[in-house]
Amino acid sequence: MATYKYAKVPAKGARIGYEGGELQVPDHPIIPFIEGDGTGADIWRASVRVFDAAVEKCYGGKRKVAWMEVYAGEKAFTLCKDWLPEETVDAMREFRVAIKGPLTTPIGGGIRSLNVALRQLLDLYSCIRPVRYFEGVGSPMKEPGLLDIVVFRENTEDVYAGIEWKADSPEANRVIALIKELGMNVRAHSAIGIKPMSEFGSKRLVRMAIQYALKHNLPSVTLVHKGNIMKFTEGAFRDWGYEVARDEFAGRVVAEADLGKAGNGARADAVVIKDRIADSIFQQLLLRPAEYSVLATPNLNGDYLSDAAAAQVGGLGIAPGGNVGDGVAVFEATHGTAPKYANLDKINPGSVILSGVMMFEYLGWTEVSTMIVRGLENAIASKHVTYDLARQMPGAVEVSTSAFGDQIIKGMDR
Ligand code: NAP
């Protein structure tokens, strides 16, 4: 076990293991958490009560999470003058499954973003964002319940590789000169950004998306790309996606183009692999949402797509996320620190709570996930909700962050 200077390892807890591609989860797993900056403390206080209540209701004390606070962001900076202490990354690696609130992005520091740093240091290559509707939440759509998707967004390549140079820097000018040498032209004084996409990175992301669809009996995986224009990056993503489907999941998947063809070798319940161009998928999710289930996409497309989809079902306050690698995962709120609401006990804790739902599913504690979702559904149905949901729900009573947590716990028994 690594040594920790600031974090305390809970005495009554055990490490999660990983063997043969499967997590080995003890009854008292140690789970590191980062409370988060701004509204993070309010949100975490409510969320952890909901998590512990659901685990207790499901397992009556036989199972219990041993929470371990680790530090990042402003709290870490105050404690040890470091925005992301090495021991926090070590804890996430050692204990394998963690959850975090939102973190301030330090301005002008050496770190581009703490969230991006964590994803890269732990090789959390897939950002998973489920988007579903909760009955009663205000939405701009006529039938928001038709959208029920899970976005798998590649997390380590494309624009997130962060390779770019300022206009007129020596590096940008060298790259421009090289591009000229290669027979292409880039306007003088341009800034330069590089968009690397590899077969390895694309295939492992699509593989995880297909495995997820098979495990959850979902009907399709759609590869979202801009391959009509960027043929060797986005187009290659699509081709590598089809390749991994064909080579590794024969019989269990079928390409949309082969549907209904005799001798395609696919089972009747095979997952359909389709592809859509990035701009088209935005209108498809608005006009024909029921035709989509799992989406696998390179980084930038996925960034836009997951927030746009979250807006269709009622906003960021209830949009969860998880960053998952091989045997390591960090679940997180998808919104930021919303600093103007810090310490007012006002903000919606739903995003972290639903990220917890994803976390318990990942641990295999699916009863807990089901229990929390039931609690949240009933809390929303009772119309006692935080300000963001209340302002979109006629007749709703606005309640605080902590009172909303209470409503969710109450809702578990209904
Ligand atoms: P933000 O914190 O997401 O807040 C923008 C607005 O979104 C809020 O004013 C609020 O809207 C709404 N909102 C956010 N969280 C909500 C919640 N839990 N419940 C209800 N409504 C919520 O974005 P920002 O102000 O651009 O960013 C603030 C800081 O967070 C920055 O330092 C940024 O870098 C960081 N950030 C961190 C993460 C992360 O850690 N994953 C992600 C994004 C941004 P209303 O004003 O309409 O109520």
Side-chain angles (χ1 to χ4, degrees):
M1 200 179 275
T3 50
Y4 295 94
K5 189 168 168 197
Y6 301 101
K8 283 197 184 63
V9 180
K12 261 192 148 185
R15 252 183 299 185
I16 293 172
Y18 185 63
E19 264 171 47
E22 299 283 335
L23 286 185
Q24 318 289 320
V25 183
D27 282 342
H28 296 85
I30 295 174
I31 298 195
F33 71 92
I34 296 170
E35 184 182 81
D37 297 326
T39 48
D42 281 347
I43 291 177
W44 180 253
R45 257 192 305 277
S47 303
V48 75
R49 278 196 305 117
V50 168
F51 299 152
D52 286 342
V55 171
E56 171 64 29
K57 281 175 197 290
C58 288
Y59 306 126
K62 186 181 171 292
R63 285 176 168 172
K64 192 173 183 348
V65 174
W67 300 106
M68 171 183 174
E69 180 164 17
V70 294
Y71 301 94
E74 287 163 8
K75 207 165 175 180
F77 195 76
T78 309
L79 198 67
C80 54
K81 294 279 163 289
D82 190 347
W83 288 93
L84 184 59
E86 211 176 312
E87 68 164 48
T88 294
V89 182
D90 288 345
M92 291 180 160
R93 200 175 280 123
E94 176 167 2
F95 298 105
R96 297 193 173 277
V97 178
I99 186 163
K100 64 175 275 294
L103 292 173
T104 306
T105 302
I107 294 173
I111 286 187
R112 184 175 277 260
S113 147
L114 296 172
N115 301 307
V116 175
L118 271 179
R119 292 168 198 171
Q120 287 178 346
L121 289 167
L122 296 168
D123 199 20
L124 305 171
Y125 59 84
S126 180
C127 174
I128 307 177
R129 300 265 305 258
V131 182
R132 58 153 285 194
Y133 180 62
F134 284 89
E135 196 57 47
V137 171
S139 151
M141 304 301 292
K142 280 189 189 147
E143 292 184 281
L146 293 179
L147 187 74
D148 189 1
I149 60 169
V150 185
V151 180
F152 281 72
R153 167 188 173 206
E154 208 291 326
N155 238 352
T156 62
E157 302 195 325
D158 193 0
V159 294
Y160 256 46
I163 307 174
E164 54 170 5
W165 294 284
K166 216 171 162 175
D168 284 325
S169 63
E171 293 86 357
N173 289 339
R174 267 177 78 182
V175 177
I176 291 172
L178 175 64
I179 292 172
K180 271 206 178 117
E181 245 179 78
L182 295 172
M184 303 207 208
N185 202 19
V186 171
R187 189 169 290 133
H189 312 297
S190 293
I192 296 287
I194 303 258
K195 175 187 174 72
M197 283 168 60
S198 70
E199 176 174 352
F200 172 78
S202 303
K203 281 191 168 174
R204 67 178 177 172
L205 184 271
V206 175
R207 182 180 298 118
M208 193 186 274
I210 296 175
Q211 283 165 344
Y212 183 93
L214 286 166
K215 185 171 173 197
H216 294 87
N217 295 317
L218 296 171
S220 65
V221 174
T222 303
L223 308 168
V224 179
H225 60 91
K226 189 71 189 162
N228 53 331
I229 304 296
M230 289 171 275
K231 297 185 193 308
F232 303 125
T233 49
E234 301 266 334
F237 176 87
R238 174 202 54 214
D239 297 344
W240 288 323
Y242 277 118
E243 246 175 66
V244 83
R246 186 195 61 212
D247 296 347
E248 298 180 22
F249 298 94
R252 290 179 291 164
V253 300
V254 59
E256 191 177 33
D258 293 335
L259 271 178
K261 276 192 194 159
N264 67 15
R267 306 190 313 214
D269 62 349
V271 172
V272 179
I273 309 293
K274 17 187 177 183
D275 77 278
R276 296 290 181 272
I277 291 176
D279 37 74
S280 145
I281 195 75
F282 278 88
Q283 52 96 0
Q284 292 276 298
L285 289 187
L286 289 167
L287 300 175
R288 295 152 69 163
E291 291 177 22
Y292 297 93
S293 174
V294 174
L295 308 179
T297 164
N299 187 271
L300 187 60
N301 303 330
D303 195 11
Y304 302 148
L305 198 57
S306 40
D307 272 23
Q312 275 180 236
V313 297
L316 282 183
I318 48 168
N323 296 291
V324 180
D326 293 325
V328 188
V330 179
F331 296 87
E332 67 172 354
T334 55
H335 55 71
T337 58
K340 66 182 177 185
Y341 298 121
N343 304 315
L344 298 180
D345 198 20
K346 184 176 172 79
I347 201 87
N348 188 346
S351 175
V352 168
I353 289 174
L354 286 170
S355 302
V357 166
M358 293 177 70
M359 182 188 79
F360 285 115
E361 218 168 77
Y362 185 70
L363 295 177
W365 294 14
T366 47
E367 305 83 355
V368 179
S369 303
T370 308
M371 176 75 80
I372 299 171
V373 168
R374 182 162 76 225
L376 183 62
E377 283 170 345
N378 286 328
I380 293 171
S382 78
K383 293 197 169 190
H384 284 68
V385 291
T386 45
Y387 80 96
D388 55 313
L389 299 179
R391 71 186 168 192
Q392 304 178 70
M393 284 168 78
V397 177
E398 181 183 325
V399 300
S400 62
T401 312
S402 44
F404 191 51
D406 294 337
Q407 287 295 329
I408 296 172
I409 294 170
K410 243 197 249 169
M412 293 176 190
D413 296 325
R414 260 179 245 146

